[in-house]
Amino acid sequence: MEALLAGPSLPLARAVTNAMPSGVTLGDEGAVIDAQGVVTVDMVGLSALLGDAARRRMGAQLIWSLSSLPGSPASS
């Protein structure tokens, strides 16, 4: 999660878009996976003014990134 929030490396940044808003960090609760495999991510610094489209892009990036991790239900 910290790497995702930090954004892409400089060489990669020229070719991709990061949906995570600048200044957003991982909160004290971090990222937790419950017994059903549901991930809850505590993010600090999200603006209440963040629009629906931006929230959907951010959610899609989170889902894509987390589901590609070894051991996730989607990677099986």
Side-chain angles (χ1 to χ4, degrees):
M1 279 306 310
E2 290 173 351
L4 181 62
L5 292 172
S9 64
L10 288 178
L12 189 57
R14 292 178 250 224
V16 299
T17 301
N18 185 9
M20 298 301 139
S22 178
V24 174
T25 59
L26 198 57
D28 292 337
E29 300 298 316
V32 179
I33 304 172
D34 70 14
Q36 289 77 33
V38 175
V39 178
T40 302
V41 181
D42 179 20
M43 291 190 284
V44 177
L46 285 173
S47 170
L49 302 176
L50 192 64
D52 289 343
R55 289 179 186 276
R56 283 192 295 276
R57 284 191 302 273
M58 190 174 65
Q61 185 171 2
L62 280 167
I63 290 168
W64 181 265
S65 298
L66 294 173
S67 66
S68 67
L69 293 173
S72 77
S75 69
S76 303

